[in-house]
Amino acid sequence: MSKKMTAEELYKMLKKIQEPRGFYFNKDMSITMPLLESLLINKEEYGYMACPCRLPNGEFDKDRDIVCPCEYRDPDLEEFGVCYCGLYVTEEYNQEDHGEVAIPERRPPEKILA
């Protein structure tokens, strides 16, 4: 039986892939680590890393748009500097001091529990 990946291991692995592409994890580890833990739980439960801030349908084809990084991440970062969950942020977002940012849900209602 293989050893389960930890949130810290996932963080290190994804950081190497995402940062060169201009995508950063939120520097607030009280947000980032629980979200990464939830991704790992979703991977175990559904077989894929569904967005931890959305309710997956449980079928990959129906949830393809919310497999992290979801297809809504880039427009969220462009408009708000942070994704819906707060996991991914821009480099500038991490350098600024700001309050809580409310990101609107971009996923169409018909995809939610379709």
Side-chain angles (χ1 to χ4, degrees):
M1 189 157 99
S2 63
K3 177 184 163 273
K4 287 185 186 178
M5 180 179 277
T6 66
E8 291 80 12
E9 290 167 334
L10 182 61
Y11 175 86
K12 289 176 187 171
M13 181 186 76
L14 292 176
K15 184 176 172 146
K16 285 181 199 171
I17 297 166
Q18 297 296 332
E19 281 193 3
R21 297 176 178 166
F23 303 108
Y24 297 84
F25 284 124
N26 194 322
K27 69 179 179 183
D28 184 345
M29 290 297 135
S30 71
I31 293 172
T32 299
M33 284 303 162
L35 289 171
L36 291 172
E37 287 282 351
S38 295
L39 283 173
L40 292 169
I41 290 167
N42 284 349
K43 170 87 171 148
E44 193 171 308
E45 189 167 331
Y46 302 109
Y48 51 92
M49 287 196 237
C51 173
C53 300
R54 294 180 168 100
L55 187 60
N57 288 300
E59 295 177 41
F60 180 79
D61 286 340
K62 290 182 178 181
D63 288 335
R64 189 180 301 267
D65 62 319
I66 61 165
V67 173
C68 190
C70 74
E71 67 182 47
Y72 312 107
R73 176 192 67 179
D74 295 2
D76 285 350
L77 292 178
E78 286 173 31
E79 190 171 345
F80 302 102
V82 57
C83 74
Y84 182 72
C85 286
L87 178 63
Y88 283 103
V89 300
T90 61
E91 189 173 21
E92 296 76 26
Y93 183 92
N94 266 343
Q95 294 170 357
E96 298 167 359
D97 244 352
H98 41 74
E100 198 170 306
V101 180
I103 309 302
E105 172 62 274
R106 293 181 191 267
R107 193 174 199 208
E110 63 272 11
K111 288 197 169 199
I112 298 170
L113 293 178

